[in-house]
Amino acid sequence: MASILHIDSSPRGERSKSRQLAKEFITAWQDRHPDDAIAYRDLRQTPVPHVTEDWIAAYFTPPEALTPEMAELLKFSDELVDEFLAADRCVFSVPMYNFSIPSNFKAYIDHIVRVNRTFSDENGQFKGFANGKKVLFITSRGVEFGSGSPYEGWDAQEPALRYPFQFMGVTDIQFIHANGLDLGDDARKRGLNEARSKIQALVGSW
């Protein structure tokens, strides 16, 4: 039995295509693996606070020197880290906002990239602790970024997602992009159908 962490980040609720696609993946996965445990978090319903100066001060304070107030500031972050590390697989649905990611998912990343929790720093040598974990990002995008597109090279979303998790030691990182959703009915249908085909293929091999 595996443990799956499923996080939605779109603020659009049921109208969100990234949420819909992630739900389709999870439903198909549960059909094949009914004994797997699914932990779910909705960043729309439970927002992750952005880091503050006081939070940063607590972050860089050794555990034995934390005041009760500092420990309280890190409590939610500790919960997110524990949840992330406990999962064998992670499914994150993340829409593209202005060629990158929503601020709520950036805040989530900022709370789980934690020294001595998800990575170590020994004299400038970094080592991630999330080895062996699989991470899937399901995204929705208004335009297309392939060769010949007016926006070729503008994709700042995938690097913003890939590198923090790679830094934490994740080597199995996959993306399913639903592209061209704002380019008319035909492009939207094509983008969703391609994403759904990839979902069905990955469910059988992940």
Side-chain angles (χ1 to χ4, degrees):
M1 183 179 76
S3 58
I4 313 293
L5 174 61
H6 172 201
I7 293 182
D8 285 327
S9 63
S10 173
R12 299 185 68 191
E14 295 304 315
R15 295 187 301 132
S16 164
K17 298 304 184 202
S18 60
R19 285 175 180 267
Q20 292 172 18
L21 293 170
K23 184 177 181 179
E24 290 176 21
F25 181 93
I26 291 295
T27 299
W29 183 269
Q30 287 180 302
D31 287 344
R32 289 173 173 261
H33 308 277
D35 294 330
D36 283 2
I38 310 290
Y40 178 67
R41 183 175 292 275
D42 186 345
L43 301 189
R44 177 173 179 255
Q45 300 295 331
T46 309
V48 178
H50 293 283
V51 300
T52 64
E53 184 175 1
D54 289 341
W55 188 94
I56 293 170
Y59 175 96
F60 285 106
T61 298
E64 65 276 8
L66 286 172
T67 65
E69 293 77 14
M70 286 178 169
E72 184 64 27
L73 282 173
L74 295 176
K75 185 177 180 180
F76 186 45
S77 177
D78 288 334
E79 177 184 325
L80 296 177
V81 170
D82 291 342
E83 186 178 69
F84 170 65
L85 291 176
D88 300 306
R89 293 173 169 85
C90 301
V91 178
F92 300 127
S93 76
V94 187
M96 174 177 277
Y97 276 22
N98 298 316
F99 304 100
S100 189
I101 63 177
S103 65
N104 63 358
F105 201 81
K106 177 59 168 69
Y108 174 77
I109 290 172
D110 290 341
H111 276 267
I112 65 168
V113 181
R114 291 269 306 274
V115 67
N116 298 325
R117 294 298 318 276
T118 53
F119 75 96
S120 64
D121 176 7
E122 297 182 8
N123 300 316
Q125 298 296 311
F126 301 105
K127 179 181 179 181
F129 297 155
N131 314 78
K133 197 181 303 296
K134 295 185 176 185
V135 170
L136 168 64
F137 294 103
I138 298 178
T139 80
S140 56
R141 298 155 156 221
V143 298
E144 297 177 346
F145 296 91
S147 177
S149 164
Y151 302 103
E152 182 180 358
W154 288 38
D155 176 9
Q157 181 192 43
E158 185 167 327
L161 295 171
R162 179 184 298 278
Y163 293 125
F165 287 85
Q166 187 172 306
F167 179 76
M168 291 185 288
V170 182
T171 57
D172 191 332
I173 301 174
Q174 301 198 50
F175 288 84
I176 295 177
H177 299 302
N179 292 300
L181 302 189
D182 294 337
L183 298 180
D185 291 342
D186 289 344
R188 181 183 304 109
K189 183 177 180 179
R190 181 172 62 252
L192 291 173
N193 285 342
E194 289 177 355
R196 288 184 170 120
S197 294
K198 292 176 181 178
I199 283 172
Q200 291 305 316
L202 188 58
V203 163
S205 61
W206 200 40

